[in-house]
Amino acid sequence: MGFFDFIRNFFKKNKKIGLGLYGSPNSGKTTLANKIAQDWMGKEIGSASNVPHETRKVLKEEKVIIKKNGKELDFDIIDTPGISTKIDYHNFLEYGLEEEKAKTRAKEATKGIIEAIKWLDDVTGVLLVIDSTTDPLTQTNITIVGNLEARKIPFLIVANKIDMEGSNTERIESVFPQHKIVPISALNGENTDELYEAMFKEFA
Amino acid sequence: MEGLKLDFISFEAIENATSMEKIYMIIERVKDGSVVVMEGGLSPAERTELIETTMREIDIEKFVGIDVHTLEKDAKALFGLKRKKQVVITIVGPANVMQTVKKQSNLLSVVAKLDNS
């Protein structure tokens, strides 16, 4: 670690954690954000849907405190819109949206992706949420991991949807062998205790 | 039959270009319907810049975004240890043209959709 990295990390450690939830559309970021907020604050912070790009603006919940073994981890949740390289409104029609609504959703989604990318400058920790039923080798995941590594932002890879048929966490491990991967189901809460433990180790 | 245009960009053509010059070199061609095959890769910052620029350029009727694929090789670090992958070829095409992409370790197979096919 160079001198400037040391100084930067020193000051980052003394700041409150801005925990960004990043990933592709429909990977379960908002479901996870809701699970964390529900577990530790007793409320949800956003609406989740099976229609891609449901979250089109960054959702922020301040002062979430996780407690474990007498210790506290204090952070803000920054739930970001799913990052993608393409937005085709025709895809939304397949979910029953009317054409005008689908077009509006597409336009809003492009702005949401730009906002999510801009937030990379401000987050101090990241949960990269990957749908474990899909191929993890995507440009979105590679780009996010590359940026986090280059910016030296600590992060965990959350292999989500382990409750679903076709879930394959080994595939994620083989694509990102050098990073900590925590398999969970944000929907039913499976393994979230292990995630909270890993968050303490990575971000505290 | 409408043809598919492939633009090959050598490493020499981009090595002295700024990040934004590289991004626009790619995006302008892809917006015109070309598939760009570029020697080498983009830095993580350039990849986010490419996504951000793509989002700004999306026209929901005419240009729906890009598909990006890469072929890598193992880059050997100190003492010959395999440490990370190095991108040797980057392929960027219009999302509505890049129909099927199959990737194996050292083979990338792309099926492109032509206008009236």
Side-chain angles (χ1 to χ4, degrees), chain A:
Chain A
M1 184 189 289
F3 177 71
F4 290 107
D5 290 333
F6 171 79
I7 294 292
R8 188 170 59 174
N9 286 345
F10 176 80
F11 282 107
K12 270 188 179 176
K13 277 188 177 168
N14 287 289
K15 272 171 66 178
K16 189 163 64 170
I17 300 159
L19 184 68
L21 271 66
Y22 277 86
S24 300
N26 269 18
S27 57
K29 296 174 295 302
T30 304
T31 306
L32 177 58
N34 282 338
K35 177 68 187 154
I36 297 171
Q38 189 66 256
D39 281 353
W40 302 98
M41 303 179 86
K43 64 174 187 177
E44 298 201 335
I45 63 173
S47 76
S49 158
N50 64 338
V51 186
H53 299 285
E54 176 70 9
T55 306
R56 299 185 294 284
K57 280 187 174 174
V58 166
L59 302 171
K60 195 173 174 190
E61 186 63 50
E62 294 189 359
K63 196 96 182 141
V64 182
I65 301 173
I66 290 181
K67 294 174 184 169
K68 203 117 192 142
N69 304 326
K71 288 182 183 173
E72 289 188 353
L73 183 65
D74 176 355
F75 57 91
D76 295 341
I77 294 178
I78 297 135
D79 179 25
T80 67
I83 294 178
S84 165
T85 58
K86 56 193 166 192
I87 309 274
D88 187 347
Y89 80 87
H90 293 98
N91 294 339
F92 305 141
L93 301 177
E94 292 166 16
Y95 291 87
L97 262 68
E98 291 165 19
E99 190 165 322
E100 275 316 301
K101 283 188 178 168
K103 286 180 179 174
T104 304
R105 193 182 188 90
K107 284 177 192 164
E108 289 172 355
T110 60
K111 290 179 187 154
I113 291 171
I114 293 170
E115 194 188 2
I117 291 170
K118 296 274 182 228
W119 265 94
L120 279 171
D121 293 336
D122 295 308
V123 294
T124 52
V126 164
L127 297 178
L128 170 58
V129 186
I130 298 179
D131 176 351
S132 64
T133 67
T134 61
D135 182 1
L137 194 58
T138 65
Q139 277 306 309
T140 296
N141 292 337
I142 292 166
T143 300
I144 295 169
V145 168
N147 272 274
L148 298 174
E149 288 174 342
R151 294 162 190 244
K152 297 183 168 39
I153 297 172
F155 68 99
L156 293 169
I157 295 176
V158 180
N160 193 21
K161 306 193 186 183
I162 57 168
D163 56 305
M164 288 182 69
E165 202 176 322
S167 165
N168 185 346
T169 56
E170 289 84 9
R171 197 166 43 179
I172 301 175
E173 283 160 13
S174 71
V175 173
F176 302 108
Q178 68 278 46
H179 296 294
K180 170 79 178 164
I181 293 156
V182 189
I184 68 155
S185 165
L187 191 65
N188 65 19
E190 197 178 338
N191 239 18
T192 42
D193 268 351
E194 192 185 314
L195 173 64
Y196 297 141
E197 210 151 292
M199 284 166 65
F200 262 97
K201 282 185 190 157
E202 194 66 33
F203 307 126

Side-chain angles (χ1 to χ4, degrees), chain B:
Chain B
M1 187 176 80
E2 187 76 27
L4 173 71
K5 188 161 168 263
L6 296 167
D7 287 334
F8 294 84
I9 303 178
S10 70
F11 178 73
E12 281 73 19
I14 51 169
E15 67 174 324
N16 293 320
T18 65
S19 293
M20 282 319 286
E21 283 169 344
K22 274 189 227 176
I23 301 300
Y24 277 98
M25 203 182 285
I26 295 167
I27 215 83
E28 292 299 333
R29 286 173 166 82
V30 175
K31 269 184 78 181
D32 284 343
S34 297
V35 173
V36 172
V37 182
M38 195 177 83
E39 196 181 0
L42 297 170
S43 71
E46 287 168 345
R47 290 205 297 264
T48 48
E49 196 66 56
L50 179 64
I51 296 175
E52 208 177 317
T53 307
T54 300
M55 291 301 123
R56 292 188 204 287
E57 297 288 331
I58 280 181
D59 166 340
I60 56 168
E61 300 290 353
K62 295 176 193 155
F63 177 59
V64 297
I66 59 172
D67 260 333
V68 185
H69 300 279
T70 53
L71 266 181
E72 299 91 16
K73 67 172 184 182
D74 289 325
K76 284 188 179 167
L78 220 54
F79 310 119
L81 295 168
K82 273 188 199 173
R83 285 196 54 193
K84 57 196 325 191
K85 300 275 186 185
Q86 183 187 350
V87 176
V88 283
I89 294 173
T90 303
I91 299 153
V92 188
N96 57 344
V97 169
M98 309 277 273
Q99 206 169 31
T100 320
V101 179
K102 282 183 188 167
K103 190 176 180 186
Q104 292 164 346
S105 59
N106 51 9
L107 174 74
L108 188 71
S109 193
V110 179
V111 177
K113 183 186 176 195
L114 301 178
D115 269 358
N116 52 357
S117 61

